[in-house]
Amino acid sequence: MAPRYNRIAVIGAGPSGLAAVRALAAENAFSTLRVFDRRDHVGGLWHYDPEPDVFPGTTDVPQRVVSPPSTLPGFAPPAGKDPRARSALYWELDSNVGAETMAFSYAPFPKGSSASSLARLGANNPSRTYNVVAGYLEDLFTPYLPLVSLGTTVERVEKAPGTKEWTLTLRKEGEQYRGTQHDYWWTETFDAVVVASGHYHVPLIPSITGLIDTAHALPGRFEHSKSYRKPEKYTGKRVLVVGGSISAVDFIQDLHDIVQGKLEVAIRGRNPALEAAYNLPNVRQHPTVASFARGPNDKVVATFSDGSVVDNLDSVLFATGYRLQYPFLQPNPTTPQNYVSGFYQHVFNVNDPSLTLVGQVKAALSFRIYEYQAVAVARYYAGRNARALPSVLEQRRWEADTLKLKGASSNFHEIAPDLGAYYNWLADFAGKPAKGTDAYELPQWQEAWGEHGFSILDLKAKYWQSVIDKHNAGVRAKL
């Protein structure tokens, strides 16, 4: 049976891109498979960049302006590296999902925990360093490297009205033209497109009175978690952490005992699983920040929503998440509320399922969930899916119901606590593989996956509580 679509493009060579190209190749059904990534290596953001992003100094999303040549294909002056492509990894980042569950079902992770995780979480803990994760992805990508075009930015993805083809406008850096390096621009056409470009590129900076002016007046005092690298930078400084989720508690853990005075923390939404981190010694909690201003001696003044003030800050570190961005898609499906609209089950474009997303979910146990999404997409593109997509009306009703349940924010893409239902929907939709292919049947959800996947948070909570207990015992001993 002929595939539903024959020529497939995959945008992104990170873990979700790997999941996509492997699942598509396994179907042995397509005449063309191409993968494009703007970085110079596979593995996506699991590679450490020593030089971080700079704070944008504005709440607006920074957009680069690149100018294509007047005709395509053709050469244009170099646009330069996009700083938003830099990794968000910090020096001792370990995975927050247990390795056994985080791994693709067909390939377990090798061993490898950081020294800090061994000290804090114990021997044989299920975390993995970013180096281990990056090597894992590179090894698994090896058979598909002939399909990958690195250093290639997808500038535009569009389908002209009345046509069946997607046109990708592409730009490759560092091509020699008349003795100097230029960007080479061209187009390629495909029947279907898988967007697997990730969503940890553009920092989400909250809109706070005085932030822009203060950041401009005091350059270097404000940072986003994407710029965080090593805790030593903050030793002996007065620091405010803004945020209360995973990155924020990593910073609290790193900084609470090395800063000058109290580590100030502004928390909007509290996660009960992280409560012990908020209560670590030397941490002073605040509600949301109402305003920033430049204070005496070029210090940052923060005023909080309860009227309290901290007026001598050296550094403000935002751990406030990321803005979802797919600027190359025409039309762009991202919303002002920071969720992606129009994709059924966060995967299939409602109006045109030849456009799909892989990886646009949260709290879903990556990388395993990318594998499930990718197999569902590959089976659908090959015309071998076991179940049909529901009607467009039903798909739109699913989005409306999910918005009511999760809210109009990036939390719209949160899968937990309904992991079993989501995994099993993808497995049932994909169904069994065709004979004579390398495809396979996705296993049904197992409750043990969730328990293992989230076990690192349990270990962290126990460590934080042990630090609190030790501190309290020392205080009591001095009384």
Side-chain angles (χ1 to χ4, degrees):
M1 184 175 68
R4 187 175 272 114
Y5 309 109
N6 198 36
R7 298 168 301 155
I8 317 297
V10 177
I11 302 174
S16 52
L18 169 60
V21 70
R22 186 183 189 278
L24 290 162
E27 292 294 332
N28 194 28
F30 310 108
S31 66
T32 301
L33 289 178
R34 293 271 276 143
V35 183
F36 303 101
D37 196 286
R38 62 184 174 179
R39 291 171 70 90
D40 59 5
H41 54 253
V42 300
L45 297 182
W46 283 95
H47 292 269
Y48 180 77
D49 284 326
E51 182 182 0
D53 283 5
V54 296
F55 188 77
T58 172
T59 55
D60 296 327
V61 178
Q63 296 288 350
R64 296 172 76 240
V65 178
V66 293
S67 300
S70 57
T71 59
L72 300 179
F75 290 95
K81 296 288 186 182
D82 186 349
R84 294 175 300 175
R86 293 173 183 157
S87 170
L89 293 180
Y90 34 96
W91 182 245
E92 283 200 325
L93 177 72
D94 295 294
S95 63
N96 277 311
V97 177
E100 185 178 323
T101 301
M102 181 177 174
F104 298 118
S105 68
Y106 54 83
F109 267 112
K111 300 288 185 181
S113 299
S114 69
S116 61
S117 76
L118 292 173
R120 293 167 176 169
L121 309 183
N124 299 316
N125 75 76
S127 69
R128 294 294 182 268
T129 68
Y130 64 79
N131 286 323
V132 168
V133 177
Y136 173 83
L137 295 172
E138 289 179 325
D139 287 345
L140 293 178
F141 234 120
T142 300
Y144 311 106
L145 289 179
L147 309 176
V148 180
S149 179
L150 295 172
T152 303
T153 300
V154 179
E155 295 289 355
R156 194 174 180 89
V157 177
E158 58 188 335
K159 179 183 282 190
T163 67
K164 295 184 178 181
E165 291 183 333
W166 291 96
T167 298
L168 272 60
T169 302
L170 304 159
R171 178 175 61 86
K172 191 172 181 64
E173 302 170 3
E175 296 293 291
Q176 287 291 324
Y177 175 65
R178 298 195 176 187
T180 61
Q181 287 194 346
H182 282 66
D183 289 348
Y184 180 67
W185 291 70
W186 77 102
T187 62
E188 293 187 29
T189 56
F190 298 90
D191 302 316
V193 178
V194 182
V195 179
S197 54
H199 45 92
Y200 296 105
H201 304 292
V202 180
L204 176 60
I205 308 297
S207 179
I208 298 174
T209 300
L211 170 58
I212 296 174
D213 290 341
T214 309
H216 287 164
L218 301 174
R221 299 301 180 92
F222 292 86
E223 293 179 293
H224 184 269
S225 59
K226 192 180 181 188
S227 302
Y228 184 91
R229 290 298 182 266
K230 297 180 181 181
E232 289 80 3
K233 176 179 178 179
Y234 307 92
T235 301
K237 302 289 182 65
R238 297 284 291 118
V239 179
L240 167 65
V241 175
V242 180
S245 195
I246 297 297
S247 293
V249 298
D250 278 353
F251 303 153
I252 295 170
Q253 176 180 263
D254 284 352
L255 304 178
H256 74 95
D257 58 351
I258 66 171
V259 297
Q260 180 185 13
K262 296 287 186 180
L263 175 62
E264 315 290 350
V265 180
I267 305 171
R268 181 180 64 177
R270 306 178 76 90
N271 183 337
L274 308 177
E275 192 66 34
Y278 309 146
N279 295 307
L280 282 167
N282 202 43
V283 172
R284 180 158 53 198
Q285 299 179 35
H286 301 273
T288 55
V289 181
S291 67
F292 287 109
R294 181 179 185 175
N297 301 317
D298 285 341
K299 300 289 186 178
V300 176
V301 178
T303 301
F304 301 93
S305 58
D306 62 356
S308 62
V309 176
V310 176
D311 61 4
N312 59 346
L313 293 166
D314 298 301
S315 184
V316 178
L317 183 57
F318 286 97
T320 46
Y322 291 83
R323 189 176 294 279
L324 307 182
Q325 283 290 298
Y326 297 100
F328 48 83
L329 290 180
Q330 302 297 321
N332 191 330
T334 54
T335 66
Q337 297 86 2
N338 203 36
Y339 71 92
V340 181
S341 179
F343 286 81
Y344 179 62
Q345 297 289 346
H346 312 289
V347 177
F348 295 94
N349 185 272
V350 174
N351 295 323
D352 185 350
S354 66
L355 176 66
T356 52
L357 300 178
V358 171
Q360 184 52 71
V361 286
K362 57 189 293 188
L365 301 177
S366 60
F367 305 150
R368 184 70 56 89
I369 193 59
Y370 307 158
E371 175 188 357
Y372 274 62
Q373 291 178 324
V375 170
V377 167
R379 207 86 91 227
Y380 178 79
Y381 282 1
R384 297 164 177 163
N385 48 297
R387 295 185 180 181
L389 288 171
S391 69
V392 169
L393 181 62
E394 289 178 277
Q395 292 181 55
R396 289 176 177 159
R397 186 180 297 121
W398 169 86
E399 178 169 327
D401 291 344
T402 305
L403 282 170
K404 289 180 182 178
L405 178 65
K406 299 289 188 177
S409 71
S410 63
N411 288 336
F412 167 77
H413 300 286
E414 186 176 74
I415 304 303
D418 302 316
L419 291 163
Y422 189 68
Y423 272 78
N424 288 343
W425 184 90
L426 292 167
D428 293 343
F429 177 84
K432 297 182 182 297
K435 292 182 179 179
T437 70
D438 294 324
Y440 57 96
E441 184 174 2
L442 292 168
Q444 293 285 298
W445 168 259
Q446 300 176 31
E447 290 299 327
W449 294 353
E451 295 171 5
H452 179 82
F454 295 118
S455 63
I456 292 177
L457 287 182
D458 294 335
L459 291 173
K460 286 187 173 183
K462 290 178 182 177
Y463 167 72
W464 298 328
Q465 190 59 51
S466 72
V467 174
I468 295 169
D469 292 344
K470 183 178 179 179
H471 171 77
N472 292 340
V475 171
R476 287 193 298 268
K478 293 179 182 179
L479 295 178

PDB file of all heavy atoms in Angstrom, residues 78-107:
ATOM      1  N   PRO A  78      26.667  36.576   5.401  1.00  0.00           N
ATOM      2  CA  PRO A  78      26.365  35.775   6.593  1.00  0.00           C
ATOM      3  C   PRO A  78      25.462  36.521   7.574  1.00  0.00           C
ATOM      4  O   PRO A  78      25.695  37.687   7.884  1.00  0.00           O
ATOM      5  CB  PRO A  78      27.744  35.515   7.205  1.00  0.00           C
ATOM      6  CG  PRO A  78      28.713  35.733   6.097  1.00  0.00           C
ATOM      7  CD  PRO A  78      28.115  36.777   5.220  1.00  0.00           C
ATOM      8  N   ALA A  79      24.436  35.853   8.045  1.00  0.00           N
ATOM      9  CA  ALA A  79      23.553  36.431   9.059  1.00  0.00           C
ATOM     10  C   ALA A  79      24.132  36.268  10.455  1.00  0.00           C
ATOM     11  O   ALA A  79      23.692  36.929  11.384  1.00  0.00           O
ATOM     12  CB  ALA A  79      22.174  35.771   8.989  1.00  0.00           C
ATOM     13  N   GLY A  80      25.116  35.389  10.599  1.00  0.00           N
ATOM     14  CA  GLY A  80      25.704  35.149  11.916  1.00  0.00           C
ATOM     15  C   GLY A  80      24.919  34.121  12.704  1.00  0.00           C
ATOM     16  O   GLY A  80      23.785  33.780  12.389  1.00  0.00           O
ATOM     17  N   LYS A  81      25.560  33.627  13.763  1.00  0.00           N
ATOM     18  CA  LYS A  81      24.926  32.632  14.616  1.00  0.00           C
ATOM     19  C   LYS A  81      23.757  33.254  15.376  1.00  0.00           C
ATOM     20  O   LYS A  81      23.838  34.389  15.850  1.00  0.00           O
ATOM     21  CB  LYS A  81      25.935  32.064  15.615  1.00  0.00           C
ATOM     22  CG  LYS A  81      27.087  31.289  14.984  1.00  0.00           C
ATOM     23  CD  LYS A  81      26.620  29.952  14.436  1.00  0.00           C
ATOM     24  CE  LYS A  81      27.798  29.117  13.951  1.00  0.00           C
ATOM     25  NZ  LYS A  81      27.366  27.826  13.374  1.00  0.00           N
ATOM     26  N   ASP A  82      22.688  32.512  15.496  1.00  0.00           N
ATOM     27  CA  ASP A  82      21.552  32.950  16.296  1.00  0.00           C
ATOM     28  C   ASP A  82      21.859  32.625  17.757  1.00  0.00           C
ATOM     29  O   ASP A  82      21.973  31.452  18.116  1.00  0.00           O
ATOM     30  CB  ASP A  82      20.288  32.221  15.857  1.00  0.00           C
ATOM     31  CG  ASP A  82      19.033  32.730  16.556  1.00  0.00           C
ATOM     32  OD1 ASP A  82      19.172  33.494  17.533  1.00  0.00           O
ATOM     33  OD2 ASP A  82      17.931  32.359  16.125  1.00  0.00           O
ATOM     34  N   PRO A  83      22.007  33.634  18.626  1.00  0.00           N
ATOM     35  CA  PRO A  83      22.342  33.330  20.021  1.00  0.00           C
ATOM     36  C   PRO A  83      21.276  32.514  20.726  1.00  0.00           C
ATOM     37  O   PRO A  83      21.556  31.840  21.717  1.00  0.00           O
ATOM     38  CB  PRO A  83      22.491  34.722  20.654  1.00  0.00           C
ATOM     39  CG  PRO A  83      21.725  35.636  19.768  1.00  0.00           C
ATOM     40  CD  PRO A  83      21.876  35.075  18.389  1.00  0.00           C
ATOM     41  N   ARG A  84      20.049  32.541  20.193  1.00  0.00           N
ATOM     42  CA  ARG A  84      18.994  31.739  20.821  1.00  0.00           C
ATOM     43  C   ARG A  84      19.192  30.248  20.613  1.00  0.00           C
ATOM     44  O   ARG A  84      18.524  29.437  21.249  1.00  0.00           O
ATOM     45  CB  ARG A  84      17.626  32.171  20.279  1.00  0.00           C
ATOM     46  CG  ARG A  84      17.231  33.585  20.668  1.00  0.00           C
ATOM     47  CD  ARG A  84      15.937  33.994  20.011  1.00  0.00           C
ATOM     48  NE  ARG A  84      16.044  33.954  18.552  1.00  0.00           N
ATOM     49  CZ  ARG A  84      15.022  34.178  17.729  1.00  0.00           C
ATOM     50  NH1 ARG A  84      13.841  34.451  18.227  1.00  0.00           N
ATOM     51  NH2 ARG A  84      15.190  34.135  16.425  1.00  0.00           N
ATOM     52  N   ALA A  85      20.100  29.880  19.700  1.00  0.00           N
ATOM     53  CA  ALA A  85      20.375  28.464  19.479  1.00  0.00           C
ATOM     54  C   ALA A  85      21.316  27.892  20.527  1.00  0.00           C
ATOM     55  O   ALA A  85      21.549  26.684  20.560  1.00  0.00           O
ATOM     56  CB  ALA A  85      20.973  28.264  18.085  1.00  0.00           C
ATOM     57  N   ARG A  86      21.871  28.746  21.383  1.00  0.00           N
ATOM     58  CA  ARG A  86      22.771  28.248  22.421  1.00  0.00           C
ATOM     59  C   ARG A  86      22.008  27.393  23.431  1.00  0.00           C
ATOM     60  O   ARG A  86      20.834  27.581  23.673  1.00  0.00           O
ATOM     61  CB  ARG A  86      23.448  29.413  23.138  1.00  0.00           C
ATOM     62  CG  ARG A  86      24.414  30.195  22.268  1.00  0.00           C
ATOM     63  CD  ARG A  86      24.905  31.427  22.988  1.00  0.00           C
ATOM     64  NE  ARG A  86      25.776  32.232  22.139  1.00  0.00           N
ATOM     65  CZ  ARG A  86      25.993  33.522  22.318  1.00  0.00           C
ATOM     66  NH1 ARG A  86      25.422  34.158  23.319  1.00  0.00           N
ATOM     67  NH2 ARG A  86      26.786  34.178  21.509  1.00  0.00           N
ATOM     68  N   SER A  87      22.736  26.474  24.022  1.00  0.00           N
ATOM     69  CA  SER A  87      22.142  25.545  24.972  1.00  0.00           C
ATOM     70  C   SER A  87      21.768  26.232  26.275  1.00  0.00           C
ATOM     71  O   SER A  87      22.375  27.222  26.682  1.00  0.00           O
ATOM     72  CB  SER A  87      23.136  24.413  25.261  1.00  0.00           C
ATOM     73  OG  SER A  87      22.699  23.626  26.334  1.00  0.00           O
ATOM     74  N   ALA A  88      20.769  25.677  26.944  1.00  0.00           N
ATOM     75  CA  ALA A  88      20.364  26.155  28.268  1.00  0.00           C
ATOM     76  C   ALA A  88      20.999  25.335  29.384  1.00  0.00           C
ATOM     77  O   ALA A  88      20.659  25.523  30.556  1.00  0.00           O
ATOM     78  CB  ALA A  88      18.846  26.095  28.400  1.00  0.00           C
ATOM     79  N   LEU A  89      21.931  24.461  29.057  1.00  0.00           N
ATOM     80  CA  LEU A  89      22.525  23.593  30.074  1.00  0.00           C
ATOM     81  C   LEU A  89      23.421  24.382  31.025  1.00  0.00           C
ATOM     82  O   LEU A  89      24.175  25.247  30.602  1.00  0.00           O
ATOM     83  CB  LEU A  89      23.377  22.508  29.415  1.00  0.00           C
ATOM     84  CG  LEU A  89      22.651  21.457  28.580  1.00  0.00           C
ATOM     85  CD1 LEU A  89      23.656  20.483  28.012  1.00  0.00           C
ATOM     86  CD2 LEU A  89      21.614  20.724  29.394  1.00  0.00           C
ATOM     87  N   TYR A  90      23.334  24.069  32.314  1.00  0.00           N
ATOM     88  CA  TYR A  90      24.311  24.589  33.251  1.00  0.00           C
ATOM     89  C   TYR A  90      25.263  23.474  33.664  1.00  0.00           C
ATOM     90  O   TYR A  90      25.042  22.291  33.382  1.00  0.00           O
ATOM     91  CB  TYR A  90      23.663  25.264  34.457  1.00  0.00           C
ATOM     92  CG  TYR A  90      22.360  24.692  34.954  1.00  0.00           C
ATOM     93  CD1 TYR A  90      22.323  23.784  36.004  1.00  0.00           C
ATOM     94  CD2 TYR A  90      21.148  25.102  34.391  1.00  0.00           C
ATOM     95  CE1 TYR A  90      21.131  23.281  36.475  1.00  0.00           C
ATOM     96  CE2 TYR A  90      19.943  24.600  34.868  1.00  0.00           C
ATOM     97  CZ  TYR A  90      19.934  23.690  35.896  1.00  0.00           C
ATOM     98  OH  TYR A  90      18.743  23.187  36.358  1.00  0.00           O
ATOM     99  N   TRP A  91      26.340  23.864  34.327  1.00  0.00           N
ATOM    100  CA  TRP A  91      27.537  23.036  34.436  1.00  0.00           C
ATOM    101  C   TRP A  91      27.277  21.657  35.010  1.00  0.00           C
ATOM    102  O   TRP A  91      27.788  20.659  34.501  1.00  0.00           O
ATOM    103  CB  TRP A  91      28.589  23.766  35.269  1.00  0.00           C
ATOM    104  CG  TRP A  91      29.881  23.011  35.410  1.00  0.00           C
ATOM    105  CD1 TRP A  91      30.411  22.501  36.553  1.00  0.00           C
ATOM    106  CD2 TRP A  91      30.814  22.689  34.376  1.00  0.00           C
ATOM    107  NE1 TRP A  91      31.615  21.885  36.302  1.00  0.00           N
ATOM    108  CE2 TRP A  91      31.887  21.987  34.955  1.00  0.00           C
ATOM    109  CE3 TRP A  91      30.834  22.933  33.000  1.00  0.00           C
ATOM    110  CZ2 TRP A  91      32.969  21.532  34.221  1.00  0.00           C
ATOM    111  CZ3 TRP A  91      31.920  22.475  32.266  1.00  0.00           C
ATOM    112  CH2 TRP A  91      32.967  21.783  32.887  1.00  0.00           C
ATOM    113  N   GLU A  92      26.501  21.555  36.054  1.00  0.00           N
ATOM    114  CA  GLU A  92      26.292  20.244  36.673  1.00  0.00           C
ATOM    115  C   GLU A  92      24.849  19.780  36.525  1.00  0.00           C
ATOM    116  O   GLU A  92      24.296  19.136  37.409  1.00  0.00           O
ATOM    117  CB  GLU A  92      26.693  20.277  38.152  1.00  0.00           C
ATOM    118  CG  GLU A  92      28.206  20.231  38.361  1.00  0.00           C
ATOM    119  CD  GLU A  92      28.592  19.787  39.759  1.00  0.00           C
ATOM    120  OE1 GLU A  92      27.883  20.132  40.704  1.00  0.00           O
ATOM    121  OE2 GLU A  92      29.630  19.093  39.897  1.00  0.00           O
ATOM    122  N   LEU A  93      24.244  20.103  35.393  1.00  0.00           N
ATOM    123  CA  LEU A  93      22.871  19.673  35.158  1.00  0.00           C
ATOM    124  C   LEU A  93      22.807  18.161  34.996  1.00  0.00           C
ATOM    125  O   LEU A  93      23.557  17.564  34.220  1.00  0.00           O
ATOM    126  CB  LEU A  93      22.313  20.339  33.902  1.00  0.00           C
ATOM    127  CG  LEU A  93      20.897  19.909  33.524  1.00  0.00           C
ATOM    128  CD1 LEU A  93      19.889  20.500  34.497  1.00  0.00           C
ATOM    129  CD2 LEU A  93      20.555  20.321  32.097  1.00  0.00           C
ATOM    130  N   ASP A  94      21.899  17.556  35.728  1.00  0.00           N
ATOM    131  CA  ASP A  94      21.591  16.137  35.575  1.00  0.00           C
ATOM    132  C   ASP A  94      20.141  16.004  35.135  1.00  0.00           C
ATOM    133  O   ASP A  94      19.323  16.898  35.357  1.00  0.00           O
ATOM    134  CB  ASP A  94      21.798  15.386  36.890  1.00  0.00           C
ATOM    135  CG  ASP A  94      23.248  15.369  37.329  1.00  0.00           C
ATOM    136  OD1 ASP A  94      24.063  14.759  36.631  1.00  0.00           O
ATOM    137  OD2 ASP A  94      23.566  15.986  38.369  1.00  0.00           O
ATOM    138  N   SER A  95      19.821  14.893  34.539  1.00  0.00           N
ATOM    139  CA  SER A  95      18.444  14.670  34.115  1.00  0.00           C
ATOM    140  C   SER A  95      17.525  14.664  35.329  1.00  0.00           C
ATOM    141  O   SER A  95      17.891  14.214  36.415  1.00  0.00           O
ATOM    142  CB  SER A  95      18.329  13.338  33.365  1.00  0.00           C
ATOM    143  OG  SER A  95      18.665  12.259  34.216  1.00  0.00           O
ATOM    144  N   ASN A  96      16.307  15.160  35.133  1.00  0.00           N
ATOM    145  CA  ASN A  96      15.306  15.164  36.195  1.00  0.00           C
ATOM    146  C   ASN A  96      14.315  14.016  36.068  1.00  0.00           C
ATOM    147  O   ASN A  96      13.389  13.918  36.867  1.00  0.00           O
ATOM    148  CB  ASN A  96      14.543  16.501  36.196  1.00  0.00           C
ATOM    149  CG  ASN A  96      15.300  17.576  36.948  1.00  0.00           C
ATOM    150  OD1 ASN A  96      15.758  17.365  38.057  1.00  0.00           O
ATOM    151  ND2 ASN A  96      15.452  18.738  36.322  1.00  0.00           N
ATOM    152  N   VAL A  97      14.498  13.197  35.039  1.00  0.00           N
ATOM    153  CA  VAL A  97      13.662  12.015  34.833  1.00  0.00           C
ATOM    154  C   VAL A  97      14.533  10.788  35.012  1.00  0.00           C
ATOM    155  O   VAL A  97      15.665  10.737  34.509  1.00  0.00           O
ATOM    156  CB  VAL A  97      13.022  12.027  33.433  1.00  0.00           C
ATOM    157  CG1 VAL A  97      12.205  10.756  33.200  1.00  0.00           C
ATOM    158  CG2 VAL A  97      12.148  13.262  33.248  1.00  0.00           C
ATOM    159  N   GLY A  98      14.035   9.803  35.731  1.00  0.00           N
ATOM    160  CA  GLY A  98      14.792   8.579  35.948  1.00  0.00           C
ATOM    161  C   GLY A  98      15.216   7.939  34.635  1.00  0.00           C
ATOM    162  O   GLY A  98      14.418   7.838  33.697  1.00  0.00           O
ATOM    163  N   ALA A  99      16.482   7.500  34.572  1.00  0.00           N
ATOM    164  CA  ALA A  99      17.071   7.058  33.306  1.00  0.00           C
ATOM    165  C   ALA A  99      16.315   5.906  32.667  1.00  0.00           C
ATOM    166  O   ALA A  99      16.168   5.853  31.445  1.00  0.00           O
ATOM    167  CB  ALA A  99      18.528   6.662  33.537  1.00  0.00           C
ATOM    168  N   GLU A 100      15.819   4.979  33.467  1.00  0.00           N
ATOM    169  CA  GLU A 100      15.149   3.808  32.906  1.00  0.00           C
ATOM    170  C   GLU A 100      13.901   4.197  32.129  1.00  0.00           C
ATOM    171  O   GLU A 100      13.581   3.612  31.093  1.00  0.00           O
ATOM    172  CB  GLU A 100      14.791   2.827  34.033  1.00  0.00           C
ATOM    173  CG  GLU A 100      14.196   1.525  33.552  1.00  0.00           C
ATOM    174  CD  GLU A 100      13.912   0.572  34.693  1.00  0.00           C
ATOM    175  OE1 GLU A 100      14.716   0.529  35.645  1.00  0.00           O
ATOM    176  OE2 GLU A 100      12.876  -0.109  34.643  1.00  0.00           O
ATOM    177  N   THR A 101      13.182   5.212  32.627  1.00  0.00           N
ATOM    178  CA  THR A 101      11.968   5.666  31.960  1.00  0.00           C
ATOM    179  C   THR A 101      12.260   6.723  30.919  1.00  0.00           C
ATOM    180  O   THR A 101      11.593   6.805  29.885  1.00  0.00           O
ATOM    181  CB  THR A 101      10.972   6.218  32.991  1.00  0.00           C
ATOM    182  OG1 THR A 101      10.660   5.188  33.925  1.00  0.00           O
ATOM    183  CG2 THR A 101       9.695   6.695  32.333  1.00  0.00           C
ATOM    184  N   MET A 102      13.260   7.562  31.162  1.00  0.00           N
ATOM    185  CA  MET A 102      13.604   8.613  30.208  1.00  0.00           C
ATOM    186  C   MET A 102      14.094   8.038  28.883  1.00  0.00           C
ATOM    187  O   MET A 102      13.848   8.603  27.815  1.00  0.00           O
ATOM    188  CB  MET A 102      14.685   9.506  30.810  1.00  0.00           C
ATOM    189  CG  MET A 102      15.116  10.652  29.922  1.00  0.00           C
ATOM    190  SD  MET A 102      16.346  11.674  30.791  1.00  0.00           S
ATOM    191  CE  MET A 102      16.814  12.828  29.498  1.00  0.00           C
ATOM    192  N   ALA A 103      14.752   6.918  28.923  1.00  0.00           N
ATOM    193  CA  ALA A 103      15.336   6.329  27.718  1.00  0.00           C
ATOM    194  C   ALA A 103      14.265   5.894  26.737  1.00  0.00           C
ATOM    195  O   ALA A 103      13.131   5.573  27.114  1.00  0.00           O
ATOM    196  CB  ALA A 103      16.201   5.129  28.100  1.00  0.00           C
ATOM    197  N   PHE A 104      14.632   5.893  25.457  1.00  0.00           N
ATOM    198  CA  PHE A 104      13.764   5.264  24.476  1.00  0.00           C
ATOM    199  C   PHE A 104      13.603   3.793  24.843  1.00  0.00           C
ATOM    200  O   PHE A 104      14.521   3.169  25.386  1.00  0.00           O
ATOM    201  CB  PHE A 104      14.373   5.400  23.079  1.00  0.00           C
ATOM    202  CG  PHE A 104      14.535   6.826  22.623  1.00  0.00           C
ATOM    203  CD1 PHE A 104      15.797   7.345  22.353  1.00  0.00           C
ATOM    204  CD2 PHE A 104      13.442   7.655  22.467  1.00  0.00           C
ATOM    205  CE1 PHE A 104      15.956   8.655  21.918  1.00  0.00           C
ATOM    206  CE2 PHE A 104      13.591   8.970  22.044  1.00  0.00           C
ATOM    207  CZ  PHE A 104      14.851   9.476  21.772  1.00  0.00           C
ATOM    208  N   SER A 105      12.461   3.219  24.524  1.00  0.00           N
ATOM    209  CA  SER A 105      12.160   1.856  24.964  1.00  0.00           C
ATOM    210  C   SER A 105      13.122   0.831  24.393  1.00  0.00           C
ATOM    211  O   SER A 105      13.308  -0.247  24.969  1.00  0.00           O
ATOM    212  CB  SER A 105      10.721   1.489  24.587  1.00  0.00           C
ATOM    213  OG  SER A 105      10.581   1.393  23.185  1.00  0.00           O
ATOM    214  N   TYR A 106      13.770   1.151  23.284  1.00  0.00           N
ATOM    215  CA  TYR A 106      14.629   0.193  22.594  1.00  0.00           C
ATOM    216  C   TYR A 106      16.099   0.332  22.955  1.00  0.00           C
ATOM    217  O   TYR A 106      16.921  -0.437  22.470  1.00  0.00           O
ATOM    218  CB  TYR A 106      14.470   0.346  21.076  1.00  0.00           C
ATOM    219  CG  TYR A 106      14.706   1.763  20.588  1.00  0.00           C
ATOM    220  CD1 TYR A 106      15.980   2.250  20.343  1.00  0.00           C
ATOM    221  CD2 TYR A 106      13.634   2.619  20.387  1.00  0.00           C
ATOM    222  CE1 TYR A 106      16.199   3.545  19.920  1.00  0.00           C
ATOM    223  CE2 TYR A 106      13.832   3.927  19.954  1.00  0.00           C
ATOM    224  CZ  TYR A 106      15.111   4.382  19.728  1.00  0.00           C
ATOM    225  OH  TYR A 106      15.314   5.678  19.306  1.00  0.00           O
ATOM    226  N   ALA A 107      16.467   1.322  23.785  1.00  0.00           N
ATOM    227  CA  ALA A 107      17.890   1.565  24.051  1.00  0.00           C
ATOM    228  C   ALA A 107      18.071   2.152  25.444  1.00  0.00           C
ATOM    229  O   ALA A 107      17.818   3.337  25.651  1.00  0.00           O
ATOM    230  CB  ALA A 107      18.475   2.519  23.007  1.00  0.00           C
TER     231      ALA A 107
END
